[in-house]
Amino acid sequence: MTTLVTPAVPGQGPGPGTGQGTPPGVAPSLRPGMLPGMIPPDDVVPRPRRSWGRRNAVWLVLLPIAIVVAAGASSFRVWAFWWPVGLHQEVDRVALGEPAHLAGEYYDMGFDVPERAETTVLREVDATVTSVEQVDALPAPSYGDPVAVPEGSVVYEVQVHFVAEPQTDLSGCQIALVAEDGTRYGESTTDALGSSNRCSTPDAEGFVSEQPEWDVTSFVLADPDAEITQVRLAFGGPEYVTFELP
Amino acid sequence: MRHGRRRITWKGTALVVGAVTAGCALVTYLPQDKGVDTPFIVEGQVGETLDLTYAELTVTDVRVADTLTGFSEAAAAGGTFVVVDATWRATQGETSFLGAEITDRQGRRFWPTDLTGCSTSANAQPGYAWRTTYCFDVPRDALAGATVRLARGGQSEDHADQRRDAVAVIELGITPSEAETLWEAEETVVPEEPGYAPASAGGSEG
């Protein structure tokens, strides 16, 4: 038989004169998890204690997920700042005289082709480095004063043949010579003559291609003792192609 | 017996408090800041070519001027201008050289001015030496014993962008007696625009 109010301790019940020796609100004999007035279960069967792994199974599953999420959230600088700037992904590697396919997406501002403004565009260019030769002097630039070869420098003339759809964006073109020790010569978007449109012909008016095929010549300053082993072509990266010199 | 509610135990409390205390003590007392922040200082003199790993740097000349004149403007110094001519030769790839300041014997630091064609930074690639002129307006008592600090890491109050990177510190070679003479002289300097360095400005390695 049960009652709704069951004093756990004699003398604990309501009424004057009770509570002597016991501070109010304290029930010393109550079992953990029991409040005054609760009915104690009379058929508690001790269950076998589960292992640590079983008790924490949910958290063990969530832990690797949390680690991946935390690492991804804190690595935003890699893809937001580091990866887009610089040449990090070699998409093709060929020998001198062979065509390489350079494909990569970029965000078009629409300066030359307004229809492409503020869209992500896939740029595809087939390029062939046909010649890399050391020359004695720099030719006259398209504009500005003639540039003399600085003391302590040598000049390489790099010739590249391009095939691409007309209206392909060619801004940010980099034609770099890589030496055996890893030094990168001429990786700037501006060449030794001051041209900042290195993948376009000298008479080009904008930064988009006008013909299906064309040739360009770019000049790069290098150290006299540099052993040039590669040419890299890119449009700001992160994708680039490598031409290995014999 | 468990009823789904855990009790706070002295053992668990001591474990958490102890771990937090130990972590705070490690962060507070280990000298980790110095190890993380210190740049690799490469010291040298005027005319000496310094290897900064990412570039070779030569301070080719140091001049003092009351007035700088350029293509379209002239500038009078509040104190006096210290004009530092330097050449950078990048050795790895295209590099911007953003750090430039003069430090005097009292530890005061003076940042460069961009008046009349003076540069506050430079940009160069491997394959050539690039000439740059820095100008600093400093007070009279800063001349003697001053050094110039040049690096690729950006210029800031705490040198935050130069941590764990090579930094050049070059003695300007101004003695106290020379400082008085330089201060009294009335000189006008026309800073050169940045450009390819001539062979004579290439320092000990040409």
Side-chain angles (χ1 to χ4, degrees), chain A:
Chain A
M1 176 178 175
T2 58
T3 57
L4 287 177
V5 177
T6 306
V9 178
Q12 181 88 15
T18 62
Q20 292 176 352
T22 304
V26 176
S29 66
L30 283 177
R31 282 157 41 185
M34 297 293 292
L35 295 173
M38 289 181 68
I39 304 163
D42 50 7
D43 56 347
V44 177
V45 178
R47 285 184 295 173
R49 187 178 172 80
R50 293 181 300 169
S51 69
W52 184 87
R54 292 287 302 275
R55 279 183 280 129
N56 296 283
V58 173
W59 306 114
L60 286 173
V61 170
L62 287 178
L63 184 63
I65 298 172
I67 289 173
V68 169
V69 170
S74 61
S75 66
F76 75 96
R77 287 173 183 276
V78 172
W79 56 261
F81 299 120
W82 181 79
W83 183 255
V85 179
L87 311 185
H88 304 298
Q89 185 184 4
E90 185 183 79
V91 294
D92 203 356
R93 174 183 283 255
V94 298
L96 183 73
E98 293 180 3
H101 186 69
L102 174 55
E105 291 187 336
Y106 72 100
Y107 188 73
D108 200 307
M109 301 299 290
F111 293 135
D112 285 283
V113 184
E115 306 88 74
R116 294 202 300 240
E118 298 180 9
T119 57
T120 300
V121 178
L122 175 67
R123 168 173 36 215
E124 289 189 272
V125 172
D126 286 313
T128 308
V129 173
T130 54
S131 157
V132 179
E133 284 185 7
Q134 195 172 324
V135 295
D136 294 330
L138 288 163
S142 301
Y143 59 91
D145 297 327
V147 181
V149 180
E151 295 279 349
S153 302
V154 295
V155 186
Y156 283 89
E157 181 191 70
V158 186
Q159 295 187 328
V160 191
H161 178 72
F162 286 99
V163 178
E165 296 236 341
Q167 302 272 291
T168 298
D169 189 285
L170 302 171
S171 59
C173 168
Q174 297 168 277
I175 301 172
L177 302 181
V178 184
E180 190 184 33
D181 62 358
T183 307
R184 307 180 303 279
Y185 297 96
E187 66 178 344
S188 170
T189 54
T190 303
D191 75 358
L193 291 175
S195 166
S196 59
N197 199 358
R198 299 177 68 181
C199 286
S200 295
T201 52
D203 56 350
E205 293 184 357
F207 284 90
V208 294
S209 63
E210 297 163 350
Q211 304 291 329
E213 294 188 32
W214 70 101
D215 291 281
V216 301
T217 303
S218 197
F219 293 90
V220 176
L221 295 176
D223 292 320
D225 56 351
E227 188 182 337
I228 306 299
T229 58
Q230 294 177 358
V231 180
R232 277 183 197 163
L233 174 72
F235 293 93
E239 303 88 359
Y240 68 94
V241 291
T242 299
F243 304 89
E244 290 187 277
L245 303 186

Side-chain angles (χ1 to χ4, degrees), chain B residues 2-163:
Chain B
R2 297 173 60 85
H3 286 273
R5 187 175 300 189
R6 298 187 179 194
R7 281 176 297 177
I8 298 172
T9 64
W10 285 112
K11 191 179 167 187
T13 307
L15 199 66
V16 171
V17 171
V20 171
T21 306
C24 290
L26 285 174
V27 170
T28 306
Y29 294 111
L30 279 185
Q32 58 179 358
D33 286 347
K34 284 182 183 173
V36 169
D37 293 348
T38 312
F40 302 102
I41 302 288
V42 181
E43 293 180 320
Q45 312 290 326
V46 175
E48 184 181 351
T49 297
L50 304 181
D51 183 2
L52 301 182
T53 308
Y54 52 82
E56 292 169 357
L57 168 68
T58 312
V59 169
T60 54
D61 197 10
V62 177
R63 294 169 285 174
V64 172
D66 299 308
T67 308
L68 299 174
T69 57
F71 177 70
S72 61
E73 62 179 350
T80 189
F81 286 116
V82 175
V83 181
V84 177
D85 293 310
T87 59
W88 289 101
R89 194 175 186 108
T91 52
Q92 295 175 343
E94 184 181 19
T95 307
S96 293
F97 306 102
L98 305 176
E101 69 176 24
I102 275 183
T103 311
D104 73 357
R105 279 187 172 168
Q106 301 172 47
R108 294 179 299 179
R109 295 156 54 193
F110 304 93
W111 291 20
T113 173
D114 60 357
L115 293 166
T116 68
C118 297
S119 299
T120 58
S121 64
N123 182 282
Q125 302 183 74
Y128 57 83
W130 189 251
R131 173 175 42 74
T132 307
T133 299
Y134 301 94
C135 306
F136 305 86
D137 193 348
V138 304
R140 181 175 193 162
D141 58 353
L143 284 174
T147 59
V148 65
R149 175 182 173 123
L150 300 171
R152 69 174 169 184
Q155 189 62 31
S156 64
E157 285 289 344
D158 57 358
H159 296 138
D161 292 341
Q162 299 178 2
R163 292 171 183 162

